[in-house]
Amino acid sequence: MNLRTTLGAGIGALALLLSMAGSAQAAEGNFTYKYVDGYGVERLVALHDPHSGKCINLHAVGDDNEQPGYGPHNDTDTAVTVYLGANCQGPEWRLKAHGQPAKDTLEVRSVRFDAPQAR
């Protein structure tokens, strides 16, 4: 009887560990960009520890009918692809991990972060 209980607890702990590893897919650090709001005021937006491996339409600029954001800065631990179009479409550029801020002429509406390397 003790063997069954121990085995069950071990399998449960392993399942929990595996499920946590899959959900922790996030770049560590900040990704920032700028945009001009409806009042003509420049705003700075920061994504802290953004999710990796999926397309992210950026706040206030993530629709092709809006003015794009600009001047992205990738200060996360993974590379990111930035897209001029929504839904990770259109022209794209790669920004390396912990890179320098891009020029304000680089426009962005959506991003996709690479999966982080094993830590």
Side-chain angles (χ1 to χ4, degrees):
M1 198 74 165
N2 277 342
L3 181 59
R4 259 193 233 162
T5 305
T6 303
L7 184 59
I11 290 173
L14 179 62
L16 179 62
L17 180 65
L18 291 175
S19 69
M20 287 174 52
S23 64
Q25 292 293 323
E28 290 185 359
N30 291 317
F31 174 86
T32 59
Y33 64 96
K34 298 177 269 187
Y35 75 97
V36 176
D37 70 12
Y39 298 102
V41 176
E42 183 177 77
R43 303 288 182 179
L44 179 69
V45 178
L47 302 179
H48 181 70
D49 294 345
H51 192 277
S52 298
K54 72 173 191 171
C55 183
I56 301 170
N57 286 328
L58 298 174
H59 170 72
V61 300
D63 185 298
D64 289 328
N65 296 321
E66 300 171 333
Q67 291 295 317
Y70 55 90
H73 179 205
N74 183 25
D75 197 18
T76 70
D77 62 347
T78 65
V80 63
T81 303
V82 299
Y83 299 86
L84 179 56
N87 302 310
C88 296
Q89 300 292 313
E92 62 185 63
W93 294 268
R94 296 277 294 161
L95 301 177
K96 65 183 182 177
H98 300 295
Q100 296 296 318
K103 294 182 180 182
D104 285 351
T105 55
L106 179 56
E107 297 178 328
V108 60
R109 284 193 175 94
S110 57
V111 297
R112 184 185 319 269
F113 291 86
D114 292 354
Q117 301 297 319
R119 296 184 177 108

